[in-house]
């Protein structure tokens, strides 16, 4: 007799990777939100007229904000700080970079070829060295999926 068992899955952060300019990020902070990818704008904007008629305008934006929390000791912080210095110097090239995301546990991928730093982290020090939270802007985030043989 066959049993009706619910699906079973396995997740492991070790199967997740964020790459910046082709380099795998290392030295993540602790927590369940060390990588966050969210659309820059809402997908749709509903409008309800004075008489109750309604419509939805679909936003064409493919932009996304990617957030990454790192330990203060992560080597990626130095690379990113150098990129901030380049941006502040007025450089016209070398300020964007490729950003890629892969989660083999859940089969999700995504990326963009022209990411830029949107927000640099605050520096916080105390009993513990504070996390470094970087935010990136991706003008054309391309989500994807990967089939993983289990």
């Amino acid at each position: 007799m066959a049993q009706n068992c619910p699906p079973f899955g396995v997740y492991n952060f070790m199967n997740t990777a964020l790459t910046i300019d082709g380099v795998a990020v290392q030295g993540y902070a602790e927590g369940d939100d060390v990588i966050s990818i969210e659309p820059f704008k809402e997908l749709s904007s509903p409008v309800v007229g004075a008489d109750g008629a309604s419509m939805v305008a679909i936003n064409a934006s493919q932009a996304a904000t990617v957030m990454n929390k790192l330990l203060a000791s992560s080597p990626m912080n130095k690379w990113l700080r150098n990129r901030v210095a380049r941006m502040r110097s007025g450089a016209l090239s070398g300020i964007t970079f490729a950003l890629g995301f892969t989660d083999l546990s859940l089969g999700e991928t995504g990326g963009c070829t022209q990411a830029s730093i949107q927000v640099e982290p605050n520096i916080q020090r105390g009993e513990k060295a504070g996390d470094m939270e970087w935010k990136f802007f991706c003008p054309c985030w391309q989500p994807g999926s990967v089939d993983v043989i289990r």
Side-chain angles (χ1 to χ4, degrees), residues 89-114:
S89 75
L92 297 176
S93 64
I95 61 171
T96 63
F97 44 87
L99 196 149
F101 170 75
T102 304
D103 178 349
L104 294 177
S105 292
L106 301 176
E108 297 173 321
T109 64
C112 67
T113 58
Q114 300 214 333

Side-chain angles (χ1 to χ4, degrees), residues 62-106:
Q62 295 179 3
T65 300
V66 177
M67 187 277 303
N68 183 223
K69 288 184 185 177
L70 301 174
L71 294 171
S73 60
S74 172
M76 186 55 73
N77 289 313
K78 182 177 181 181
W79 188 91
L80 291 167
R81 290 257 183 240
N82 287 336
R83 192 59 59 121
V84 167
R86 185 165 181 76
M87 292 171 75
R88 291 190 189 282
S89 75
L92 297 176
S93 64
I95 61 171
T96 63
F97 44 87
L99 196 149
F101 170 75
T102 304
D103 178 349
L104 294 177
S105 292
L106 301 176

Side-chain angles (χ1 to χ4, degrees), residues 26-49:
Q26 295 179 337
Y28 290 99
E30 62 184 350
D32 290 332
D33 60 349
V34 296
I35 299 172
S36 172
I37 303 165
E38 62 183 61
F40 193 71
K41 291 186 172 190
E42 292 182 354
L43 178 60
S44 65
S45 300
V47 177
V48 178

Side-chain angles (χ1 to χ4, degrees), residues 110-128:
C112 67
T113 58
Q114 300 214 333
S116 63
I117 297 169
Q118 181 179 350
V119 177
E120 60 184 308
N122 295 328
I123 297 175
Q124 298 176 338
R125 299 294 183 262
E127 187 175 325
K128 295 181 181 180

Side-chain angles (χ1 to χ4, degrees), residues 11 15-17 37 100-111 141-148 150:
Y11 171 79
N15 292 325
T16 303
I37 303 165
F101 170 75
T102 304
D103 178 349
L104 294 177
S105 292
L106 301 176
E108 297 173 321
T109 64
W141 181 259
Q142 297 295 306
S145 62
V146 62
D147 291 327
V148 178
R150 299 181 192 260

